[in-house]
Amino acid sequence: MDNKATAHAPVIFETNPTYYNLFGKIEGRARLGTVVTDFMLIKSGAIHKANGGYLIIQAADLFKEPFAWDALKRTLNNGESQIENIGQEYLLFPTVTLKPEAIPIDVKIILIGNPYIYSLLNVYDEDFKKLFKVKVDFDVEMERNPQNIKKYAELISEIVKTRDLLHFDTNGVAEIIDYSSRLAEDKTKLSTRFNEILEVLYESSTWAELDGSSLVTKEHVEKAISEKIYRSNRIEERLLSMIEKEEILVDTEGFATGQINGLSVIDTVDYIFGQPSRITARVYLGNAGVVNIEREAKMSGRIHNKAVMILTGYLGEKYARSIPLSISASLTFEQNYGGIEGDSASCAELMALLSAIASVPVRQDIAVTGSLDQHGKIQPVGGTTYKIEGFYHACKLKGFTGTQGVVIPCQNITNLMLKPEVIAAAQEDKFHIYTAETIDDVIEIMTGMQAEEFHNKVKESLKKMAETAKKFYDK
């Protein structure tokens, strides 16, 4: 290897980092029934090609190859590369072969991998911290500002030129940028998951070409995105069909006691969508407290278990400072067969629980999402856009009444990147989006009562239950 004629330090990207591809080998030539070699058959590896420069390796590929990682660490520690064939130590009778002198190595190794691999190496390989001291962490999002929007437009232009695609007009570029913000689930951010953007660029160009257009317009981008969704949303369509047939029970109008519509997000790896779920609560005399049916059935995750315990903390602080909390309550997601995780339904669960205690019906035409702390404050949650659209589709199937909508945490306003269809329905007052800061805001929206009046009803009910329990135990 001779890099003296290069204008810059060599940069080598080894796509197949086997031991021999990295560190070279001594080849043999068959002659008269045996294998012979000479110095002309000593072959270099990527580590020699990158000497004096940079060698880039995918970490996941490197660790699939036997001996490669240990040899790489040894080379970096010693500052020299020894070309030798592996497996000599396992031969019964070692053979005579060439043993080239070690070659001085001065190279920078760049390992590309995910945070999980980095954490494993950091914990279990003591040499890793010494050899790889510089960590570069790339975010999957960036700020949506004029400078980055311009860069995004430049990226689209560069891809169009290099991949021989049709050019995008200004509205087409704007639609791609909005789609990027939707991927980031934040209207103030842009996604840097460029592979997904590239897929939409290719398909948009194809639809424009089939349409006989010389430019890719907003309509072509929307067509590409909708077709991409159509290829992946089979499960969503099946669940919506079951809601329409009432195989999955979701009420989108009227009132009910101890029952509320919660919202969850389902991720099928290549597609994310929201689904409404019926949450019910039942209250009776006892001292078991709030029983999480999912937990008892071992279908609840740790975060959800914690969320239900937080509800108990709120109930105790708000209503049981002067009287004992002499109730037993059961709380569950109806028709849940795959388990539940997360705390984004804790606000809805508390609302169903308080409704059951006070015997006050709550609205079924509004779904609720939001996490709750022990002080009754609503905390932001993930997947807000998909959750709103999930309940919107359920309402659309069952028929709009003009009163339906969703309650979300006020902090999630910046996360909304809704489909044009949902935005149009909101502008026409067919569908509503409410924001809440505390559980009191949710109470007023869901019951039509003042929060203080509702809390008094809960206290009165709890007091009656405590007195009844006392009389029973006194007997």
Side-chain angles (χ1 to χ4, degrees):
M1 293 304 306
D2 184 5
N3 289 326
K4 68 181 181 182
T6 57
H8 53 75
V11 179
I12 304 299
F13 183 29
E14 181 53 62
T15 58
N16 185 24
T18 63
Y19 178 89
Y20 290 130
N21 285 348
L22 285 175
F23 306 105
K25 57 186 172 181
I26 303 171
E27 294 182 339
R29 183 182 290 117
R31 181 180 296 172
L32 301 175
T34 186
V35 177
V36 298
T37 187
D38 58 50
F39 69 95
M40 294 297 291
L41 295 178
I42 301 174
K43 304 299 180 182
S44 64
I47 200 83
H48 309 108
K49 297 175 185 177
N51 201 6
Y54 303 87
L55 175 59
I56 305 171
I57 308 172
Q58 287 283 354
D61 294 334
L62 178 65
F63 295 127
K64 292 175 184 176
E65 302 297 334
F67 310 108
W69 174 240
D70 288 331
L72 182 63
K73 290 193 297 180
R74 186 166 55 250
T75 300
L76 293 176
N77 278 321
N78 299 333
E80 60 182 24
S81 172
Q82 184 75 51
I83 299 180
E84 56 186 355
N85 290 348
I86 57 177
Q88 291 289 337
E89 63 271 26
Y90 301 114
L91 296 177
L92 184 60
F93 300 104
T95 58
V96 177
T97 186
L98 297 177
K99 189 171 179 63
E101 293 183 7
I103 300 171
I105 293 294
D106 180 17
V107 66
K108 298 290 185 184
I109 306 293
I110 300 173
L111 283 182
I112 301 174
N114 58 43
Y116 180 67
I117 292 177
Y118 180 86
S119 299
L120 286 177
L121 290 171
N122 226 15
V123 173
Y124 294 108
D125 194 325
E126 60 182 16
D127 294 327
F128 180 73
K129 297 178 184 178
K130 301 173 185 176
L131 297 173
F132 295 88
K133 300 180 184 298
V134 180
K135 175 186 177 182
V136 180
D137 194 359
F138 291 94
D139 200 352
V140 295
E141 298 172 0
M142 62 183 181
E143 294 295 325
R144 178 170 175 164
N145 53 41
Q147 182 182 5
N148 286 338
I149 289 175
K150 181 183 177 184
K151 289 180 179 178
Y152 233 89
E154 291 172 351
L155 173 66
I156 294 171
S157 176
E158 183 66 23
I159 292 173
V160 164
K161 291 175 183 177
T162 56
R163 307 297 176 94
D164 196 25
L165 305 178
L166 292 178
H167 285 277
F168 286 65
D169 67 9
T170 53
N171 290 330
V173 173
E175 188 65 23
I176 291 289
I177 290 171
D178 281 345
Y179 178 68
S180 175
S181 292
R182 181 178 171 88
L183 289 178
E185 294 187 50
D186 193 330
K187 61 185 178 183
T188 65
K189 303 285 185 182
L190 292 171
S191 173
T192 56
R193 291 180 285 171
F194 295 118
N195 279 343
E196 296 186 44
I197 299 297
L198 191 63
E199 291 173 5
V200 175
L201 293 179
Y202 267 103
E203 191 164 344
S204 301
S205 177
T206 302
W207 284 114
E209 190 175 343
L210 292 173
D211 199 29
S213 175
S214 59
L215 291 173
V216 180
T217 65
K218 176 182 178 181
E219 288 70 27
H220 297 133
V221 177
E222 290 176 342
K223 174 73 171 175
I225 294 171
S226 64
E227 289 294 323
K228 178 179 170 66
I229 291 173
Y230 176 72
R231 293 192 296 270
S232 304
N233 71 342
R234 180 181 60 84
I235 296 176
E236 180 188 26
E237 288 187 346
R238 179 68 182 273
L239 291 174
L240 287 173
S241 174
M242 294 174 73
I243 290 175
E244 185 178 21
K245 296 176 183 177
E246 296 190 347
E247 294 173 1
I248 296 178
L249 301 178
V250 175
D251 292 337
T252 58
E253 55 183 296
F255 287 78
T257 302
Q259 177 178 301
I260 197 170
N261 287 320
L263 296 167
S264 58
V265 172
I266 298 176
D267 188 347
T268 60
V269 181
D270 61 338
Y271 184 64
I272 302 173
F273 63 94
Q275 182 193 14
S277 301
R278 175 182 283 183
I279 300 172
T280 60
R282 285 294 176 263
V283 177
Y284 44 92
L285 286 177
N287 56 8
V290 180
V291 177
N292 177 10
I293 293 178
E294 263 74 28
R295 180 183 179 185
E296 299 303 314
K298 302 189 185 306
M299 296 176 66
S300 177
R302 291 180 295 177
I303 298 175
H304 183 246
N305 291 339
K306 176 185 175 183
V308 175
M309 293 176 186
I310 288 173
L311 300 189
T312 305
Y314 173 82
L315 288 172
E317 192 275 336
K318 186 72 177 178
Y319 304 112
R321 303 191 71 170
S322 58
I323 59 172
L325 201 62
S326 302
I327 65 166
S328 292
S330 61
L331 199 61
T332 189
F333 280 72
E334 302 290 354
Q335 294 183 287
N336 168 36
Y337 308 111
I340 188 73
E341 178 60 305
D343 62 352
S344 64
S346 54
C347 182
E349 289 174 315
L350 177 61
M351 196 66 239
L353 193 58
L354 295 179
S355 168
I357 293 172
S359 297
V360 174
V362 295
R363 295 174 65 173
Q364 301 300 294
D365 56 354
I366 293 180
V368 178
T369 185
S371 173
L372 195 78
D373 69 10
Q374 292 192 100
H375 301 287
K377 294 179 180 178
I378 308 296
Q379 302 170 139
V381 294
T384 318
T385 294
Y386 304 113
K387 291 174 180 178
I388 292 173
E389 291 173 350
F391 191 64
Y392 168 84
H393 289 310
C395 294
K396 182 180 178 181
L397 285 174
K398 295 206 159 193
F400 288 118
T401 62
T403 62
Q404 294 144 332
V406 174
V407 179
I408 65 171
C410 61
Q411 302 94 325
N412 282 125
I413 293 175
T414 59
N415 300 115
L416 299 186
M417 287 298 298
L418 298 166
K419 294 177 181 176
E421 178 186 358
V422 183
I423 295 174
Q427 291 172 339
E428 296 168 6
D429 284 336
K430 291 181 180 178
F431 195 76
H432 307 271
I433 300 173
Y434 304 90
T435 60
E437 294 183 12
T438 67
I439 189 64
D440 288 354
D441 297 332
V442 180
I443 288 170
E444 293 179 359
I445 294 170
M446 298 301 291
T447 65
M449 300 170 59
Q450 291 295 317
E452 193 60 35
E453 180 185 357
F454 181 82
H455 287 308
N456 288 335
K457 284 185 173 292
V458 175
K459 289 177 181 177
E460 290 173 9
S461 180
L462 289 172
K463 184 178 179 181
K464 288 180 182 177
M465 294 177 76
E467 291 172 350
T468 303
K470 184 176 182 303
K471 291 177 181 178
F472 177 82
Y473 290 126
D474 287 346
K475 293 179 182 179

